[in-house]
Amino acid sequence: MADELFVTPRLAALYDPLDPDRGDLDPYVRLAEQFGARRVLDIGCGTGVFALLLAKRGIEVIGVDPAQASVDVARAKPGADRVRWICGNAASLPPLRADLATMTANVAQEIVDPGDWQATLRAAHAALRPGGRLVFETRDPARRAWEEWNRPTSHRVTEIPGAGPVEHWVDVTEVAGPLVSFRWTYVFATDGEVLTSDSTLRFRERQEVAADLTAAGFAVSEVRDAPDRPGREFVFIARRPDPARHR
């Protein structure tokens, strides 16, 4: 089940204005170009920012996300007709023979159930052509990023076009082993409405992720640092093996 931030239309409309700097996506664009990807599967495409960046470069993109409100935002953007949007999860996709599959931002960590995580990895494997790659990021648990998720450090008031001032902040609500839960609060000045969105992320160790990828049929090619958050995240590059290359 997707978080309220993604499924509630009034909140989904805030996602892009509250996070306008998406420089974190630039390394993914460069990887797509480096790999010569012509067809990309964007798992957890959300409001479509990354999918549209690729589509502008002439890349065929399939964006899939379980949150209808977020997909609706994506479909309303200029150039959205160049992307194939699917409201659903990766496990329901037909074979695509994609060159590259991605999970940007928090997507990988938002899949907290181990069964759902393995199903997503297997679905990505099935959607890729032999030799195709899966790329995603996940935070290093050792950096304990959640210790910075509190109202004093996150409180802001942002003027949103068409919505007016919106006050927003985040607080951690529970830390239970690898699971970290937190709540975003949004206060709309125009009518006083208060909406909240509860989220849980799973913080996986590097070795755990590598083992999960291997179990799903991938070969881990490389684990990189996130250029915009050095020392804080792992960027996994995994490959669907091509049996023809070993004949």
Side-chain angles (χ1 to χ4, degrees), residues 118-152:
Q118 275 297 325
T120 300
L121 294 180
R122 290 194 299 269
H125 185 278
L128 289 166
R129 63 167 175 78
R133 295 173 175 87
L134 170 65
V135 180
F136 62 90
E137 63 192 68
T138 185
R139 290 180 175 89
D140 181 355
R143 295 302 299 266
R144 302 176 66 85
W146 60 87
E147 293 181 348
E148 302 171 7
W149 301 347
N150 52 66
R151 178 166 178 158

Side-chain angles (χ1 to χ4, degrees), residues 21 23 36 63 73 115 126 135 140 199 228:
D21 179 8
V73 172
V135 180
D140 181 355
S199 304
D228 59 322

